[in-house]
Amino acid sequence: MRNSRPIILFPLLCFLSSTISILCDPNTLVCNEKEKHALLRFKQALSDPGNRLSSWSVNQDCCRWEAVRCNNVTGRVVELHLGNPYDNDYEFYSNFQLGGEISPALLALEFLSYLNLSWNDFGGSPIPSFLGSMGSLRYLDLSSAGFRGLVPHLLGNLSTLRHLDLGDNDGLYVENLGWISHLAFLKYLGMNLVDLHREVHWLESVSMFPSLSELHLSECELDSNMTSSLGYANFTFLTFLYLSENNFNQEIPNWLFNLSSLVSLSLFNNQFKGQIPESLGQLKYLEYLDVSFNSFHGPIPTSIGNLSSLRYLVLCENPLINGTLPMSLGLLSNLEYLNVGGTSLTGTISEVHFTALSKLKDLLIYGTSLSFHVNSSWTPSFQLEYLEADSSKMGPKFPAWLLTQKSLFYLDFSRSGIVDTAPNWFWKFASYIQQIHLSDNQISGDLSQVVLNNTIIDLSSNCFSGRLPRLSPNVIVLNIANNSFSGQISPFMCQKMNGRSKLEVLDISINALSGELSDCWMHWPSLTHVSLGSNNLSGKIPNSMGSLVRLKALSLHNNSFYGDIPSSLENCKVLGLINLSDNKFSGIIPRWIFERTTLIIIHLRSNKFMGKIPPQVCQLSSLIVLDLADNSLSGSIPKCLNNISAMAAGPIRGIWYDALEAGYDYEYYMESLVLDIKGRKAKYEEILKYVRMIDLSSNNLSGSIPIEISSLFGLQFLNLSRNHLTGRIPEKIGVMASLESLDLSRNHLSSEIPQSMSNLTFLDDLDLSFNNFSGRIPSSTQLQSLDPLSFFGNPKLCGAPLTKNCTKDEETLGPTAVEENREFPEISWFYIGMGSGFIVGFWGVCGALFFKRAWRHAYFQFLYDMRDRTYVAIAIKLKWFHQKLGRY
């Protein structure tokens, strides 16, 4: 009997153990039926284009559904992970966004503690107020989900909430943030509310969160008045502080350096000014520091060497930061990312700067005047993955220490003063680097035997020579323009690869290549941009080029091609730019070109084209450049040109032209175009998308200038010279406010120059010579300041700037004005003299300020776009590095 109790207990313990194991096994869980049907109702109200919730079926246990987590014991739903899984991948991001309506069926999930709906798109709907009744929630992430409207104060009822993120929802606003103070256990707070800057007093109540460790207040329009309120808060345990993209126009407040527990600090993209203080060195636990895109000036503080935990340091785009790179940087033994690009740093970088930086992976010194001076036998202790040093001084010798960097995936030495031959080891070493940018140096070498394997290669504007290199199928962008490559192009075009080519951009322009284009274009199915201009190529365009169905830009200019444009090119349905200028093409321009509504640039000047300009050209609503000059075109100018809306509206802010720009990781490939404007040839690249131009000069066009052309308010350059045009200049030409250059010379135009032309205040290039104009030249500062040669060859014209005086004032006055002049001659001349005197005096002083405003607008718009582009590039880089660091 003594042994019976253990014998009885043993089976009982085994039963209990197996029971507990079964209950704790997630594969044996059975979800609550009520919660299952609630989730199905919740799904029914959503839109799910990517079928992310396809596993949510009535026939399956809801604990096994995608994104659903259940309690291991009770089987009750406790977590919903519905954030977009592709938040980092812009190619798939929008395809997997949930949308629609958030159903109150979620209220049936009594034990739900975790809800993540981030990176979706709920179409501007307000945050559901019923979320404030889900009392078990401890984690709520609604960031980047397309919510708008008033933030419900009922969220203050979530007394156990630890994590609240409402960031990146444009259009969210608050009326009162007093409810925030009810969240006593809050550890993470993320907001970027448009009206938050008005809620000065709520910031003072943040000190009521004794356990707050993360505060994210990016894009809240906070200003300098708010920083003093933050200074009163007791941030004893605060480790993460993000105040990026606000309106702080001040020096860094002193209280910030008292946050001794800070691990991560972001002041990115504000208007902070002054010097970065030495007291920064007090933040000894700091691992992440981003003060980029501000207005700091002066040197980098030497105390930065005290931040022994620092892993990520971003000082870029502070153009007034100057001085040298402090030697103390070499003490940051944990530093992985260093970005001082876009500053005014000078001096040399030596081995001392990298003494202890064995963990450094990313080095960005672009756009500085720093010079890299290290011993030729130097072996760095680090292994870089990303090196961006364009516009700094890495030369004149090719850096030998690069050979030690086995982990590089991005290398940019553009415009870095290298005058040397690329060493033999470089191309084999470089074959493992994803992106190589060596443009605008004087690097030489024969690449005939080289096989390029990189994803993106830019060797443009150097001294490379020999035959064209061979490519692996991995190459996506190849830009070797403006070098000295020679030989036949056929071996390159018809080369055999081990796999399908991924090449999208091919730019081999401005070289010395020769021969005809082989019929091998079917081997390059991914091409979107092809530029073969300014070589010695000849022959006809092969039919196989029509197999490039993804082609967006085709440039064959300045060669010796001849014959017709092949009909096979009609298969290129997304073609946006076609540049065949300065060749020997002949025949009639195919009608399909003028029907291809994707075209934004047609540049066919200096060929032997014949026929008429068909009215279908007016269907090209996106056309910004139409250059058919120097051909043998005949007939009249279409009267429907006013339908080209891109020229009628002028430059459109923020517009993206796929044919002109191709975006890739960290980089852009830009199309360029040499335009003949104002009698001068100039290369347009960054500002090409802002140009609006029509050039039909040097043809056999006849008839009158269509009055409809005066509706092209955005047109900047109009050249109709050297034709057989007759009739008058359209009376309303003065409303073409953007016009800067107008050439109507060497036609048969007659009658008076319209008075409205005096309204063309941006016009600085005018040629009306060799026509049959008569009467007085209209009075305006612009017209009278022009060269008299602009009006030469019109014997019946008079008035300034010509030396011929007008004998009859009535020649330029209308009937009413003539009668008034006869009745009150002295009053008439008084007002004429006073008016012209005012105009001359006013524009004589202020004209210089306004003379080129159109181009200034275009220039500032370009800076705006580059800034956005830089932000995007920086954001991509930061996000990539954040993933590597984990929590940041």
Side-chain angles (χ1 to χ4, degrees), residues 293-307:
F293 289 91
N294 279 288
S295 299
F296 293 114
H297 69 263
I300 299 172
T302 57
S303 65
I304 206 161
N306 299 334
L307 305 178

Side-chain angles (χ1 to χ4, degrees), residues 69-90:
R69 305 288 186 274
C70 294
N71 184 282
N72 287 342
V73 177
T74 65
R76 305 300 290 267
V77 176
V78 292
E79 296 185 8
L80 289 180
H81 294 257
L82 296 173
N84 193 328
Y86 292 98
D87 61 331
N88 246 349
D89 193 328
Y90 295 103

Side-chain angles (χ1 to χ4, degrees), residues 169-445:
N169 285 289
D170 294 337
L172 275 183
Y173 66 93
V174 289
E175 287 182 349
N176 190 303
L177 270 171
W179 53 269
I180 283 282
S181 60
H182 299 157
L183 308 180
F185 297 100
L186 201 64
K187 291 187 176 181
Y188 178 107
L189 177 60
M191 291 187 173
N192 62 324
L193 309 180
V194 295
D195 283 347
L196 191 57
H197 64 289
R198 300 176 185 171
E199 296 289 324
V200 178
H201 301 295
W202 85 269
L203 285 171
E204 299 175 6
S205 67
V206 172
S207 60
M208 300 178 63
F209 310 148
S211 57
L212 190 67
S213 61
E214 299 191 32
L215 182 58
H216 297 243
L217 298 177
S218 300
E219 297 182 79
C220 292
E221 300 184 20
L222 301 178
D223 56 28
S224 302
N225 295 325
M226 311 298 282
T227 56
S228 57
S229 299
L230 283 169
Y232 292 111
N234 179 20
F235 290 135
T236 306
F237 299 103
L238 195 66
T239 55
F240 289 73
L241 178 59
Y242 289 81
L243 300 176
S244 58
E245 299 186 84
N246 283 292
N247 301 319
F248 298 119
N249 185 12
Q250 61 176 100
E251 297 183 359
I252 298 180
N254 290 328
W255 59 263
L256 195 146
F257 302 109
N258 297 326
L259 305 179
S260 56
S261 299
L262 270 186
V263 173
S264 182
L265 173 63
S266 176
L267 306 179
F268 160 75
N269 195 18
N270 279 283
Q271 301 173 49
F272 283 111
K273 56 188 179 182
Q275 293 192 12
I276 302 175
E278 291 287 342
S279 47
L280 177 67
Q282 299 171 195
L283 304 177
K284 58 182 180 179
Y285 298 113
L286 205 60
E287 297 181 17
Y288 174 102
L289 175 62
D290 187 350
V291 296
S292 60
F293 289 91
N294 279 288
S295 299
F296 293 114
H297 69 263
I300 299 172
T302 57
S303 65
I304 206 161
N306 299 334
L307 305 178
S308 57
S309 300
L310 200 62
R311 300 169 61 191
Y312 190 105
L313 175 60
V314 194
L315 305 174
C316 66
E317 305 306 328
N318 282 283
L320 298 180
I321 287 182
N322 54 26
T324 60
L325 202 65
M327 294 292 186
S328 57
L329 273 176
L331 303 175
L332 302 178
S333 58
N334 289 300
L335 195 65
E336 298 180 29
Y337 183 101
L338 173 61
N339 188 347
V340 294
T343 64
S344 296
L345 292 173
T346 57
T348 61
I349 300 178
S350 66
E351 296 95 329
V352 180
H353 289 95
F354 303 103
T355 303
L357 305 190
S358 60
K359 297 181 180 179
L360 191 65
K361 291 182 173 63
D362 301 85
L363 176 61
L364 296 89
I365 58 173
Y366 64 89
T368 67
S369 296
L370 292 169
S371 299
F372 221 94
H373 286 172
V374 295
N375 192 289
S376 59
S377 60
W378 178 53
T379 301
S381 60
F382 52 71
Q383 282 294 316
L384 293 179
E385 296 176 358
Y386 188 103
L387 174 56
E388 188 173 355
D390 63 284
S391 302
S392 61
K393 299 175 182 177
M394 304 299 294
K397 292 294 183 181
F398 205 93
W401 60 269
L402 267 184
L403 184 58
T404 67
Q405 302 301 296
K406 307 298 185 182
S407 301
L408 267 181
F409 75 84
Y410 183 98
L411 172 64
D412 190 347
F413 278 170
S414 305
R415 296 172 292 277
S416 58
I418 299 177
V419 185
D420 197 5
T421 300
N424 293 330
W425 55 261
F426 177 71
W427 300 111
K428 183 177 180 181
F429 158 80
S431 63
Y432 301 102
I433 303 175
Q434 291 182 25
Q435 293 195 33
I436 292 182
H437 302 269
L438 301 178
S439 65
D440 297 282
N441 286 288
Q442 297 182 52
I443 306 173
S444 58

Side-chain angles (χ1 to χ4, degrees), residues 608-863:
K608 300 178 181 180
F609 290 118
M610 302 180 298
K612 298 181 179 181
I613 303 174
Q616 283 81 0
V617 69
C618 304
Q619 300 175 14
L620 306 182
S621 60
S622 300
L623 198 65
I624 62 174
V625 172
L626 175 62
D627 192 341
L628 306 178
D630 194 16
N631 281 285
S632 298
L633 300 174
S634 58
S636 59
I637 299 173
K639 295 183 178 181
C640 53
L641 291 178
N642 56 309
N643 293 330
I644 304 178
S645 56
M647 294 188 184
I652 301 174
R653 175 174 170 174
I655 196 167
W656 176 272
Y657 293 117
D658 283 343
L660 302 184
E661 304 177 20
Y664 300 92
D665 288 344
Y666 314 114
E667 298 297 334
Y668 291 84
Y669 171 80
M670 281 192 171
E671 290 286 344
S672 63
L673 197 63
V674 176
L675 297 177
D676 193 335
I677 294 177
K678 304 179 183 179
R680 298 180 297 273
K681 289 188 176 182
K683 182 179 178 180
Y684 289 78
E685 190 170 36
E686 289 91 350
I687 62 173
L688 178 57
K689 62 184 175 182
Y690 302 114
V691 174
R692 301 295 183 270
M693 169 185 173
I694 294 178
D695 191 343
L696 306 178
S697 63
S698 300
N699 279 288
N700 297 316
L701 300 175
S702 57
S704 59
I705 300 175
I707 60 173
E708 291 81 4
I709 207 168
S710 59
S711 297
L712 301 180
F713 307 122
L715 193 65
Q716 298 160 320
F717 311 107
L718 176 60
N719 190 346
L720 305 178
S721 66
R722 299 176 184 271
N723 281 289
H724 306 293
L725 300 175
T726 57
R728 310 176 55 138
I729 298 176
E731 286 293 331
K732 294 184 178 180
I733 194 170
V735 300
M736 300 176 71
S738 300
L739 206 58
E740 296 183 28
S741 175
L742 175 63
D743 190 348
L744 304 178
S745 64
R746 298 183 183 273
N747 279 289
H748 305 293
L749 300 171
S750 59
S751 194
E752 297 177 350
I753 299 173
Q755 290 292 322
S756 68
M757 193 172 285
S758 62
N759 298 328
L760 300 177
T761 53
F762 299 137
L763 189 69
D764 64 356
D765 184 77
L766 175 67
D767 193 347
L768 303 180
S769 62
F770 296 100
N771 278 286
N772 298 313
F773 294 117
S774 59
R776 180 186 292 275
I777 297 173
S779 294
S780 77
T781 303
Q782 299 294 106
L783 297 180
Q784 266 66 58
S785 63
L786 294 171
D787 192 314
L789 291 176
S790 299
F791 304 95
F792 189 75
N794 292 279
K796 295 182 181 180
L797 271 182
C798 62
L802 296 176
T803 56
K804 178 183 178 182
N805 296 322
C806 297
T807 57
K808 295 181 180 180
D809 296 326
E810 291 87 350
E811 290 178 355
T812 58
L813 299 177
T816 305
V818 171
E819 292 174 6
E820 291 176 354
N821 188 38
R822 288 171 178 166
E823 188 173 355
F824 304 103
E826 53 283 344
I827 295 178
S828 174
W829 278 108
F830 171 78
Y831 283 114
I832 291 173
M834 184 177 68
S836 61
F838 173 79
I839 291 172
V840 172
F842 178 82
W843 284 107
V845 176
C846 302
L849 299 176
F850 298 96
F851 192 61
K852 296 290 288 181
R853 186 176 63 184
W855 274 109
R856 288 208 307 274
H857 285 181
Y859 175 70
F860 286 124
Q861 180 58 52
F862 162 63
L863 292 182

